[in-house]
Amino acid sequence: MDCIFCKIANGEIPCTKVYEDDQMLAFRDLNPQAPVHVLMIPKQHIASLDEVCDNNCDVVAHILKNAHIIAKQEGLDNGYRIISNCGADAGQTVFHLHFHLLGGRSLGENLV
Ligand code: 5GP
Ligand code: ZN
């Protein structure tokens, strides 16, 4: 499958890792939109939140369970925002489930 994030997860494409375990990977976004902009992905291919189901939701919980640990590791003691774009209207460009972890400045009140 020609999926950029699968290739990052299996090491074919390099990334700047900030956290890794057997189920997930977190790495810096290539085009950061905040001082800290990390992408958290499952190692297994799930196209988007639309594909989350009983068989794969454990890894989603696993990612969200580790998010605050990664946030603290990144120094986001003043707060952070997690976003997952799903589908065309949300502007999803990479169809491998990912959670943007954003922080390091006041993120404003627009878009939640
Ligand atoms: P989306 O728009 O699908 O929610 O977000 C995709 C994100 O992936 C974008 O913020 C984009 O900058 C990032 N991205 C796309 N290709 C790469 C890549 O090869 N490496 C890294 N580190 N980030 C990428
Ligand atoms: Zn993938």
Side-chain angles (χ1 to χ4, degrees):
M1 195 191 304
D2 202 25
C3 170
I4 301 174
F5 286 0
C6 280
K7 288 181 179 170
I8 287 177
N10 70 26
E12 259 183 84
I13 293 178
C15 69
T16 306
K17 281 179 201 173
V18 300
Y19 176 84
E20 182 174 19
D21 62 31
D22 57 326
Q23 296 180 64
M24 69 172 284
L25 181 65
F27 54 95
R28 300 203 187 284
D29 196 291
L30 211 53
N31 181 28
Q33 296 189 31
V36 173
H37 187 169
V38 166
L39 298 171
M40 303 181 292
I41 68 167
K43 287 192 170 175
Q44 71 188 94
H45 184 83
I46 301 170
S48 75
L49 284 173
D50 274 345
E51 282 197 355
V52 174
C53 63
D54 284 345
N55 292 334
N56 62 22
C57 62
D58 284 359
V59 71
V60 177
H62 181 78
I63 290 169
L64 294 177
K65 183 191 76 177
N66 282 321
H68 71 96
I69 297 168
I70 297 166
K72 296 301 171 291
Q73 185 183 298
E74 291 293 312
L76 301 180
D77 297 323
N78 216 29
Y80 53 90
R81 186 172 291 163
I82 293 173
I83 294 173
S84 187
N85 292 321
C86 183
D89 274 4
Q92 185 178 5
T93 58
V94 177
F95 285 82
H96 179 124
L97 179 63
H98 52 281
F99 295 91
H100 298 260
L101 172 64
L102 299 151
R105 66 168 165 82
S106 175
L107 295 166
E109 292 174 10
N110 288 336
L111 278 180
V112 309

